[in-house]
Amino acid sequence: MPVQLLKIVKGKFEIPLPSHLQKQSLEHLREGFDHTNGYFQGIVALSYPLTKLGDGTDFFKVVLQDMDDFCSRTNSINVLIYGKMAENCAKVICHGDTLVVAEFKLAKSPTAKEDGRHNYHLEVSEEAGSVIYVHKILGECLNIFFFYSLIFIMPFQSVAPKYVYTSLNHLKDGTVVNLYGIVKFFKPPYLSKGTDYCSVVTLVDPSNVKLTCTLFNGNLDSLPKIYKVGDIVRFHRIKVREYNGQMQGVTSAGFASLTFDGSVGAPVIPRTSSRVYTFTDEEQKIIEELRVWAASNLTTSGPPAKLSDVQPMMFFDLTCQLIGKAKVDGSSFLLKVWDGTKCPYPTWKVPVEARDLEGDKVLLHQLREVTVDILVYDNHVQLAKSIKTGSFLRIYSIHAKQAYAVDKSVSHIEFHLHGGTCYGRGIGVLPESNLDVKELKAFLHSMDLPDSQNMESMSSVELDDTFNYVTDLESHLQRCQQLPATVLTDHQDLKNTELKAILNSTAPKHYRIRAKLRTYKPQKLYQSVKLHCSKCNSLQEIPDGDDFDLILQGSTITAPNPELHNTSWYNSVMWTTQDEKQRKIAIHFVKHDEMLQQPEDTLLMIEGGTLKEIWKLAERFKCVIPVRSTEDDLELLDLSAPFLLQGNVKYYGCKQCSTPKPVKSLSSIAAEQRPAWEPTEIAQVLGIELLQYVFIMKFTLVDGTGALNAYLFDYEKFFQIPASEILTNNFLQQKMQMAMNTLCPPGRKLDDLPWLECFIKSYNVRDAMKDRVYYQIFDTTVADDVV
């Protein structure tokens, strides 16, 4: 059994440990060392109650103190025990026992700074082949053993564990198995709605049974490194469950994977992020057999397309090198790539400011004729931001969209990686050891690049001008003058109605119109952004930043209450500033599964911070909530201040409709399996009626038969810009201004204004004892060519 009794006589083990095990000290427990055949011995200084993780796995945590170093400042380490072993250990391990932990996995400890223990922790489980030896102690000097029905003394084994692999046609619901499979379909890792990355892979094997696995991990590198259909994977400790009559695989405690190239004749080199794994000659034969079977029975996709192969409207995979990147707006991101070949069609250059473009500008200029711009959207943006220029990528399911110039005589190609994961859409970063990367690098190095000497001698001003892709406003207006300025997104069966007829009709009704925008209010576009409560239908102005600062200053009068620090669901840190005010600041980091998360996944609460300090925290952590202490709990500040900050966005609650709850209500989200910390969910558990950012504008529309005022009430559909981000993003402000200058060009005569198509609806409002008719624009979007 993996939990065994151990007797120590005169400081030595009565029964020797297996000969291959070597003792490890705390100072040697770090990355870069091989701990496969090591063990750590310590005294139980602390143990926690047995709990269950979100997936039902038993979890038991103990703290071991180094027996050989009681004086060191950091002389203890956390041990995390999973599964059946956790249940057994929880029944027998007590304070003061001596533990020997062998065959463990070493991982970075997210709580090291808070608990003052070792920077790494030990992870053990029966599935991983771990063994724990327990020496029980009673009183001060008694070597007495207590035998339990769940613990047995078994012969020591000094050989590596022999794994049993299950074929896909023998899987059973509720089991944890080891298996080999050939990749028939996969989705590259993407950020899930929670804090983890997710990857989906469908496997087949010679039994002709299919298994779809959904894999989660907070560490992107811990997911299988699959690059193409036909790769072969080895999964250890994957949990099988039945759903709708089909077996599915999900990650469980101790899950590990190896990935191999599935091509016949390719080197058998495993891809893994783990430094410790076993791979035998017998398993190499399994790989070779699966390769031969797949070559005859599995239809795999051919090599990824090259840019020179691209045709309009096709979807393709591309192996390429990233040489530049830039943020475009809140939902899209630009990647500038090349593969050494040239697209046979003119390609679209995404307009970005020179200062926003990352990459070697000399190289970007040299390769300007062979690079293409790929715009990635939604769930792919976060990963795209993290990729370093110079990396080699495989981008899956790129859409080569055909677009036309004004006169429709000349077309160009736009490259888009749409949001979602359908058809395996995603981005994979390839290591330089990858065979495709080696071939691509050799090809790129063989190319003759344009001479860069002239480029290197250019002034910085000239260099910036070279990369200023933002189109001059006048030329942009001329290009768009003949294009439809708006797009109708629904109700295509409605026919156009003249404004005169609409003004003479009763409300409520829906209309389709063709008109010109004569004027609009407000002229200062930032004034169009308001806060709206969907419950009471009220509107309010965006609070001034100075008001927020004053509220924060007022909250510092109440000092943080130490009795509210370090609860079961958050850890606290407090310090005093060194200025003359000597403010006391407390930050409470919300935990998940008793552990602190990565900053980008963490919600924190702050007491006593200034506006500047809070914004700095919001740049690094996912969510920040300003709070203050009471006698019993932390509470939110006045709802005149934002109750939540996320990135550059401040979230407010409606004073009239909100019934704030104690901050401890957030513990229910922290207890979820994968807390996403979405503003709507946070607002709900805190009893806050969330105010939404909206655009409110008044358009005066004319068509030659009459004129009417129509109101625009829109969150992000009309301008295709989130109203919540417009106040903090200069690029989005310029984009909105450009759209309005196209819809209503300044200084133009009425005859020269573009025609707009849009839907409006009429409705009645009771005002001063009589009904008045108002009009609102709906289901209409500014055309892509305009913005």
Side-chain angles (χ1 to χ4, degrees), residues 83 109 138 433 449 478 495 507 510 575 719:
S109 173
L138 182 65
S433 59
L449 299 181
Q478 293 173 10
K495 295 182 179 180
H510 290 181
W575 70 94
F719 291 108

Side-chain angles (χ1 to χ4, degrees), residues 69-312:
D69 188 3
F70 285 98
C71 300
S72 174
R73 184 176 180 272
T74 303
N75 67 348
S76 60
I77 189 168
N78 293 322
V79 181
L80 311 184
I81 309 171
Y82 299 91
K84 185 67 174 178
M85 182 180 283
E87 180 183 352
N88 289 346
C89 287
K91 292 179 179 179
V92 300
I93 291 177
C94 300
H95 184 273
D97 289 348
T98 298
L99 259 61
V100 174
V101 183
E103 308 290 350
F104 53 79
K105 178 182 176 183
L106 193 67
K108 192 79 173 177
S109 173
T111 62
K113 290 184 179 179
E114 287 71 36
D115 58 26
R117 296 169 193 144
H118 199 275
N119 288 332
Y120 291 85
H121 62 231
L122 310 183
E123 295 182 357
V124 292
S125 67
E126 185 173 349
E127 293 83 359
S130 306
V131 181
I132 291 182
Y133 304 91
V134 185
H135 169 58
K136 302 291 299 175
I137 189 166
L138 182 65
E140 293 186 7
C141 301
L142 299 179
N143 291 326
I144 301 176
F145 291 92
F146 294 85
F147 293 88
Y148 293 81
S149 60
L150 292 172
I151 301 180
F152 303 88
I153 298 178
M154 300 293 291
F156 294 119
Q157 296 181 356
S158 60
V159 297
K162 181 177 177 62
Y163 293 100
V164 176
Y165 295 97
T166 306
S167 61
L168 301 186
N169 62 332
H170 289 151
L171 299 177
K172 295 182 180 180
D173 182 32
T175 59
V176 177
V177 300
N178 309 314
L179 57 83
Y180 272 94
I182 305 162
V183 176
K184 186 174 183 179
F185 171 81
F186 73 102
K187 295 181 179 181
Y190 59 92
L191 194 61
S192 68
K193 291 183 179 180
T195 60
D196 288 350
Y197 286 93
C198 176
S199 180
V200 178
V201 55
T202 299
L203 305 178
V204 293
D205 71 1
S207 69
N208 281 316
V209 171
K210 183 172 66 174
L211 176 71
T212 297
C213 303
T214 304
L215 313 173
F216 290 94
N217 201 295
N219 182 2
L220 180 63
D221 290 333
S222 295
L223 291 172
K225 301 180 184 304
I226 300 170
Y227 300 141
K228 60 185 177 182
V229 170
D231 279 351
I232 296 172
V233 297
R234 186 190 82 175
F235 289 167
H236 277 184
R237 296 171 292 279
I238 187 162
K239 187 172 184 179
V240 178
R241 64 185 183 190
E242 185 175 355
Y243 181 73
N244 285 343
Q246 292 186 334
M247 295 299 176
Q248 295 184 340
V250 294
T251 42
S252 66
F255 171 81
S257 69
L258 298 181
T259 310
F260 303 85
D261 191 317
S263 306
V264 175
V268 183
I269 301 175
R271 308 171 203 148
T272 177
S273 59
S274 174
R275 290 181 170 82
V276 179
Y277 62 87
T278 59
F279 185 70
T280 64
D281 292 341
E282 183 179 345
E283 289 183 274
Q284 180 158 341
K285 292 180 181 178
I286 296 175
I287 298 295
E288 300 290 3
E289 291 172 358
L290 289 175
R291 285 175 170 178
V292 173
W293 182 87
S296 303
N297 296 274
L298 186 64
T299 301
T300 59
S301 56
K306 294 187 177 298
L307 291 174
S308 56
D309 303 325
V310 169
Q311 296 295 318

